Amino acid sequence: ILITDGENHDDDAIAVAEKEYKAKTYRANLRNSSGQYGLVWDVRMVKEDETHVRAYVDAKTGKVVAADVKGIQERRAGRGMGPGPRPQ
């Protein structure tokens, strides 16, 4: 696990996120989210099925306040870089 807050980290916050999403942490850092959530642990995890989870755990209460779960996503028409230039 990559912890990016210096020497101190909160194992409880990481454990809360891992338990809630049944995932393993690969990175966690303490950050001040842009106003809405305040000081949070930004915990990034991966589940057994390779689904990625990012959770914000409130640094004071130890509760998950927000999360984003992303699995395999279908490619949608009109998105991405496209096929590139045509051969001449």
Side-chain angles (χ1 to χ4, degrees):
I1 302 171
L2 175 64
I3 306 291
T4 59
D5 72 324
E7 301 218 3
N8 300 320
H9 67 277
D10 190 349
D11 290 330
D12 292 337
I14 293 169
V16 164
E18 287 183 342
K19 183 177 179 183
E20 180 140 346
Y21 293 96
K22 296 175 181 63
K24 293 290 181 189
T25 300
Y26 63 88
R27 181 169 40 178
N29 58 327
L30 191 60
R31 63 178 289 187
N32 192 5
S33 66
S34 52
Q36 186 173 0
Y37 302 111
L39 189 63
V40 296
W41 282 96
D42 181 356
V43 183
R44 296 179 189 217
M45 303 166 283
V46 65
K47 297 173 96 174
E48 284 185 20
D49 66 357
E50 299 300 317
T51 299
H52 286 261
V53 181
R54 182 177 186 187
Y56 282 178
V57 180
D58 186 292
K60 291 180 183 176
T61 67
K63 294 182 180 179
V64 175
V65 293
D68 187 26
V69 179
K70 291 189 178 186
I72 299 295
Q73 297 179 6
E74 298 274 332
R75 182 183 162 109
R76 295 186 295 208
R79 298 275 190 188
M81 296 178 69
R86 293 185 181 172
Q88 304 242 341

